[in-house]
Amino acid sequence: GALSAGFSFEYLKYDELGHHTAHMLHEEGEHIHNFDHDEIYSLALGYGLWNDFELGLKLPYIQKTFLRVEDGVAGKGDSSKGIGDITLTGKYCFYRGYADLSGIAGVKFPTGDTAQRGFDDKKLEIEELPGSGSFDYILGLAAGKEIDRWLLGGGIFYTLKTQGARNYEFGDILELGASSSYALRPIGQFPNYRFSAEIKARFIQKDKDKGSKIAHSGGEVLFFSPGFQMDINKQLSAFILAPVPVSQNRGGEHSELDYSVIAGITVLWS
């Protein structure tokens, strides 16, 4: 079977809450965080066991930067960094015809760090850490069709979250997306250049802390993602993608995503 390896870097910039507002909400007993940005470095491995079935493994290293909201340190910058949760997925193409249809299932394992402390030696909140402490389960359906130089795709995915470290449970996520890309040269010629566009809707249920829903969590986000991919040869490609939130309702007072960028390279051996 074919073996692939990829490395990607993702940068997410948040629209910070005013630290006075965040501190006041925290003092009123609200579950509030004030994020600045995340950096995610990921190694992805894929192996095709046979023509219709592929296994994938994703290993992230995460750095989160945020402003503290507690009394005495409100507005001061802090950060965490470390290994994140590893995800194992399987993809099975069960239909090849007018379009290819695939079922996807996966498990995220609680391998990430959940015990880091801030600059004042106080334990950081779960949302501020690289790991979650939970097993999460992914189910999805994807479709793809190639028409000359066009590649069309779409999918629906559901992530079931479970209770993790300190009895905290992140909200389940439903994602729906559609994408298209166009190659400037005929498929199979190298180097080739592909421009892409994707639209994705993400619906996030509210988090729970010890079984109680957190008011300032969850919400809906609609992304538009322009992208570019360069296929250097049959084995090596590079890409950049810029998911931009065109609409978001983040379910209360907390940091909304301002913009994000994802870039990476992929190597394929067959």
Side-chain angles (χ1 to χ4, degrees):
L3 175 67
S4 66
F7 174 81
S8 65
F9 169 72
E10 182 174 5
Y11 181 87
L12 301 98
K13 182 69 173 73
Y14 298 96
D15 188 6
E16 299 171 9
L17 295 172
H19 69 267
H20 291 296
T21 300
H23 175 60
M24 288 177 59
L25 288 167
H26 174 76
E27 290 300 300
E28 292 170 2
E30 300 290 349
H31 199 105
I32 290 293
H33 297 280
N34 199 4
F35 296 104
D36 182 82
H37 69 271
D38 295 342
E39 300 172 34
I40 305 173
Y41 305 83
S42 297
L43 175 64
L45 301 174
Y47 183 69
L49 294 180
W50 53 84
N51 288 339
D52 295 328
F53 185 74
E54 178 182 346
L55 283 175
L57 184 68
K58 188 173 184 179
L59 306 90
Y61 180 89
I62 301 172
Q63 178 170 324
K64 296 188 174 186
T65 302
F66 46 88
L67 301 179
R68 297 285 291 275
V69 298
E70 301 91 343
D71 190 32
V73 296
K76 293 185 178 180
D78 209 343
S79 64
S80 66
K81 57 185 177 181
I83 299 296
D85 293 342
I86 291 174
T87 302
L88 176 67
T89 57
K91 180 179 180 181
Y92 176 65
C93 182
F94 59 86
Y95 176 80
R96 295 185 185 274
Y98 179 76
D100 293 343
L101 299 178
S102 301
I104 298 167
V107 180
K108 182 185 70 62
F109 298 90
T111 56
D113 192 343
T114 59
Q116 292 188 23
R117 296 178 178 271
F119 61 78
D120 56 353
D121 203 38
K122 182 179 178 180
K123 275 189 176 182
L124 297 176
E125 298 291 336
I126 292 298
E127 304 96 309
E128 298 168 340
L129 294 168
S132 67
S134 68
F135 284 92
D136 300 338
Y137 304 95
I138 304 161
L139 285 174
L141 181 67
K145 182 173 179 60
E146 189 174 306
I147 306 173
D148 193 20
R149 301 185 191 184
W150 287 93
L151 182 61
L152 309 178
I156 178 170
F157 301 91
Y158 192 87
T159 302
L160 175 67
K161 306 279 188 172
T162 67
Q163 195 173 86
R166 301 180 215 164
N167 299 317
Y168 193 91
E169 182 179 333
F170 288 92
D172 294 358
I173 300 174
L174 172 66
E175 288 187 330
L176 305 137
S179 64
S180 66
S181 66
Y182 180 76
L184 297 184
R185 304 181 67 188
I187 304 301
Q189 293 188 14
F190 301 99
N192 207 344
Y193 309 93
R194 184 180 290 276
F195 291 91
S196 66
E198 180 182 28
I199 189 164
K200 179 186 293 184
R202 180 179 297 162
F203 304 90
I204 310 166
Q205 294 185 11
K206 291 191 178 296
D207 298 354
K208 295 179 182 178
D209 187 9
K210 299 179 178 65
S212 299
K213 287 186 179 180
I214 296 173
H216 300 283
S217 65
E220 303 87 35
V221 187
L222 180 66
F223 294 95
F224 174 72
S225 307
F228 173 75
Q229 179 173 312
M230 180 173 64
D231 298 324
I232 300 168
N233 53 43
K234 190 176 180 180
Q235 286 77 36
L236 181 63
S237 64
F239 71 91
I240 185 167
L241 192 67
V244 177
V246 295
S247 173
Q248 55 185 323
N249 171 21
R250 293 304 304 272
E253 293 286 345
H254 59 108
S255 305
E256 292 189 340
L257 182 65
D258 194 7
Y259 64 88
S260 59
V261 178
I262 309 169
I265 59 172
T266 303
V267 182
L268 176 66
W269 298 272
S270 57

